[in-house]
Amino acid sequence: MDDRTIVDLYWRRSEEAITQTDTKYGRYCYSIAYNILSNQEDAEESVSDTYMAAWNQLPPNKPSVLSTFLGRITRNISISRWRSRSAQRRGGGEMTVTLNELEECVSNRQSIENDYIAKEALDVLNGFLESLPDIDRVVFMRRYWYFDSIANIAASFGFSQGKVKSMLHRDRMKLKTLLQKEGYV
Amino acid sequence: MTTEELTDLLGKVKDKYILEAETSRNCIKSKKTVNHRPILIAAAAAALLLVGCAAAFLGLENFSMGESPYNDGEQSDMVCISQGKQNTAIQNAQKEWFAFQADYDPDGTFSTNDDQIEEIPDNYEYNYGCYTREMADQLDAIAEKYNLKLLDTRIGFQPNQMPIFLEETGIHTLLREDSKVKITGMTGMFYPPCNFRMMPTLDTGEGRFYSTVQYNDKAYFPPENIFYTNLEQTKQWAHTAPDGTQLLLGLTEDGRGVILADFPDRIISIAIEGSADQPQKPLTEEILQTIVDSFDYSIRPQNMDHQTIQNKLQEAENMEP
């Protein structure tokens, strides 16, 4: 079923919307949730919560790209669940490693003060991604948006894990320099 | 900036970067493709495909705009049915707008899921899918060329708000008094001053069916089209409604129906999109005929401005316990 029809089903409050979403995007959402949570039960709950959130947001939203709309929801929900779990000292997994890597890019000494500055910082981040060579950008997004493991990324490109780590390190340093230059770090 | 903030900000980057990485992960069976180039079908050639119709019969071919932009590469033989006949201002304008959109930003470089795009007015974004100033300018140019006005920003109606929609537009009901069909639920959008796209679920007694009813005043650029079909697999026929309105009907092999009531100054399009029951009931010619004769084609929504409707909705919300 095409995305437009699925969105229409949400708009007419048909529960078939959930079934069709699960058929087409269930695996996609689960893979994002599982990468973050490293736990089957938690990942399944996040995917269910994603469908519930989509149900509540459609309408009024009418996303132009349904996959990224759902993916963003899954990512946010799963990260929140991971944070809550970490607060109870049950964190760990790939997410912890990934966050340790990202920590290299920031100071953790100051927070973004308001939404306006956050919007500016997002522009900087989009500019950074645009500036990367295509392969670097995909590798960066797979690691820090989808939280894919180094091993998986390396396997899909035919790279050694060392090469992927090296690319990611180089790009994190570029991002750190840019954020320092723009005053966010 | 903290690690947490950076993680959250990364979650908000542009769609195109997420899609690019998604392709690499290859997790999705069927990914939305951005660049659909419409194949415009010549009406003269398509008309030859009409089966069993008189020479003067104006079939769906006259309303065909070519390949659907929503086919996701899965249904390339589907065509989009316009809100106007061939060589009318509306169909020509829609074709030009389709062609522009198909070639514009093929990689989704400028696309965004932001709720508000500051550089363009809301009606350009929400009604017509513009997401850059350049798109808005092109839409303006096409509208001006064909002397069409743009609709004001759409307003969404939830099922519990439908009485307000029906009362304020003066329509009261979409169905005739003697209708054999009941509406069991409806959502939709109103495009001030007078156009709408409503999505009622129809209970025919033989089964429930999803439908979309679109009303378009021909002075305005229609926001979208509601029916897509393979013309070769669609049975078509002319029909006179109980009130005398001449209708064009279509029934597809996969059980969807279309009703077009084309007046000089307005068009009412109704798409019957499939069964709402489990197990699903097929849409037969007989059921379609029952649905067709249940609609009131004389409806004419009175002009309403955006703010007035918003005020009514707010008023109703305030009165809720």
Side-chain angles (χ1 to χ4, degrees), chain B residues 4 23 44 75 90 102 141 164 179 184 207 221 229 300 310 313 320:
Chain B
E4 196 167 298
T23 305
Q75 299 166 312
I90 283 184
I164 297 174
S179 167
T184 58
F221 202 133
T229 190
R300 278 178 181 272
Q310 290 288 22
L313 289 171
E320 283 177 9

Side-chain angles (χ1 to χ4, degrees), chain A residues 118-132:
Chain A
K119 177 78 172 64
E120 282 186 338
L122 180 59
D123 290 343
V124 170
L125 204 50
N126 278 319
F128 161 74
L129 289 169
E130 191 63 46
S131 72
L132 291 178

Side-chain angles (χ1 to χ4, degrees), chain B residues 26-63:
Chain B
N26 198 23
C27 273
I28 297 179
K29 178 174 72 73
S30 166
K31 189 179 76 64
K32 182 182 175 74
T33 51
V34 180
N35 187 15
H36 298 291
R37 292 170 189 276
I39 303 165
L40 301 180
I41 297 175
L48 295 174
L49 300 171
L50 257 176
V51 180
C53 299
F57 179 64
L58 294 173
L60 289 174
E61 290 75 8
N62 281 290
F63 293 86

